[in-house]
Amino acid sequence: MNAMRDMHIPALQIEGLKKSFGKAEIINGIDLSIGKSERHAIIGPNGAGKSTLFNLITGRFPATSGKISLHGRDLAGMAPYQINRLGLSRSFQITNIFPKMTVFENLRCALLWSKGYRYSFWHLVSKASDLTEGAEAILEQINLTSRRDLPAGVLSYAEQRALEIGITIGGGADVIMLDEPTAGMSNTETDYIVELIRKVTEGKTLIVVEHDMGVVFGLADRISVLVYGTIIATGRPEEVRGNPKVQEAYLGAALEAEH
Amino acid sequence: MTDQQITTDPAKPAQRMRAGGTTVTLMPWILAGLVLLVLPFIFQSNSALTIMNKMSITIIFALAYNMLLGQGGMLSFGHAVYMGVGGFACVHIMNASEFFSMLPLPLLPIFGGLFGMGLAMIVGSFSTRKAGTVFAMISLGVGELIAACSLIFVAFFGGEEGVSGDRTYALPLFGIEFLRQIEVYYLVAFWLMLSAILMFLFSRTPIGRMANAVRDNPERAEFLGYSARWVRFYSFTASGFFAGIAGAMFAINYEILTEENLNLVTSGTILLVTFLGGVGFFFGPIIGAVVFTLVQTVLSLQTDLWAIYAGALFVATVMFFPGGLAGLIMMHGPAAKLGKLHYLVLPYLKTLIPAGIGILGVCALVEMTFHVRHASIGSNEMTLFWTTFDSHSLMPWAVAVAVSVVAFWIMRRNLPELVAAWHQANGVAKDKL
């Protein structure tokens, strides 16, 4: 495993990825390489295929053609849970938690597989101190300790988003994918979540889909711009910002609106 | 088994709250065990023992069923087959006299469990791919299929007359041959306690917790490393095991199994029992099984129409208390914590007594209609609520209608008071007192 995670093998490698739904080609040929511990943002206008790309990488949909590898390992034909076990974890654009369970239990469920409990019926979760301590450590990180025993469904929207991030990082995956983590949030909430993301993904590979430009430029090491299923530019934030193609296709409108 | 870190220190909310949720407390189990020990001394008659055995068997089955319905979110319409096959297997073991004479009877349920589990593994391998409608339809189909097989594979299912055995051929344990009903009672009670404890502990294991997670959000569970299908499969297998144990209990208690143990009526009844008790709490099916068995046995002695009342009770539960009887009890938790339950006592009496009388009035009308339609010609006299009267005269009808109308009117008049008291007990309204 360690050999596979060698420095020069990218955390995530995408080659010639295509996806069609019927006749509609949503992703038409993406090549992308994301290095270990890189914070990579994927931006693009609505309908560019950002979420589809996420779903292809995480095994939610099968690709029409092309290859995706995680730490050099081909993910073709794998189910989401198999990909997750290889160390890739994701959040969702629409909050996706276990609403009837307590906040603590949500996090404990996120820890179960990675702590090696698998399908065990001979352990009691309340006796497993590694689970309790692990879940409480994450509770602390996402500042929800005071909400520990509330059903997750009654939390505020921002708190649920924070919990979702907690669940995503809970399993100890080293590649974290966040789908619009700040969607629908106020400025203060956004600042808070961005800071939280920065903190909890320290040292991990982060791939984030975002709409909010402020978030992207502050958080990402590199940015890819996705337009109509193709990546038209990849580079450091200032390079992407200066790229005329990008300005034309996407940023121009956004930047104009800002000034 | 209690969690030592529980504290009432208000400065440590995290530890203090840990009393709830998934910790394991011993007290209710000791109480339940004591009740099971003492019950035969209170109800000594043979018919009481029969009812209690029936209750215990239904409880095991209902708890096993709720591993699917409540904990795993799988609605099965054919769960009787796992209990039935476990039971049939046990009767055949009883008839394999050479083997059976070396087997102490209290160990027989293990075989019942294994057979139930084996069938569940076969069926579960394809039925647990999806939850929801697909699972429900497969369970219905498989249930019907196996029930139909009972008339075809006569060697195993015994055709219409079923298969019977004799439990007393087992190896006597400490000289006990299980000839007497009371000995069977304690055997069933022992397995009831053991199965209930194991099923409770199962819900607290990693796979048990993930069964809940998959029930609520299968997709999220998949992105946490768990295959929703395998989680369902393991729950299903475990449920089949305990259903098989219930079947073994049935075989030991009745010494005969028939097609009735496999068919859709039995499958439907266990769904009804479980739902009536409440699927959301572990102890729900226990209450459901106790209440249903009482309704079935005690009420059926009083009236031929008991099934109508049981059906009405079920419909009322689904419509007004989807949490079942357990949900109804647990609704009072917040008020009890605030120490305000006493606010509710008087309003409850003022609404529930008239409601009860009103319901009895309606029941009287139902019974009288039944009597008028079905009693033999010329026998106009009927006895209801210790009163004998002529069911063809107007008077009893007028009385029943008047009693029902007045009782429901009083209930309705007192209802706002109950609602207000409810809010007050739960600290919703401002405390004026």
Side-chain angles (χ1 to χ4, degrees), chain B residues 351-417:
Chain B
T351 45
L352 292 185
I353 290 176
I357 294 173
I359 289 168
L360 287 180
V362 173
C363 293
L365 289 173
V366 174
E367 292 289 335
M368 277 165 7
T369 312
F370 183 71
H371 187 263
V372 167
R373 299 290 300 168
H374 294 275
S376 51
I377 299 164
S379 78
N380 290 356
E381 274 198 350
M382 71 178 288
T383 306
L384 199 63
F385 305 131
W386 310 278
T387 332
T388 305
F389 51 85
D390 178 1
S391 64
H392 286 64
S393 71
L394 190 64
M395 194 56 191
W397 292 84
V399 170
V401 170
V403 166
S404 309
V405 169
V406 172
F408 282 127
W409 179 78
I410 296 175
M411 183 207 79
R412 183 110 196 128
R413 208 198 51 162
N414 292 344
L415 206 55
E417 201 181 317

Side-chain angles (χ1 to χ4, degrees), chain A residues 123-138:
Chain A
H123 292 94
L124 286 178
V125 283
S126 57
K127 295 273 150 194
S129 53
D130 54 342
L131 290 176
T132 311
E133 280 158 22
E136 263 159 15
I138 301 169

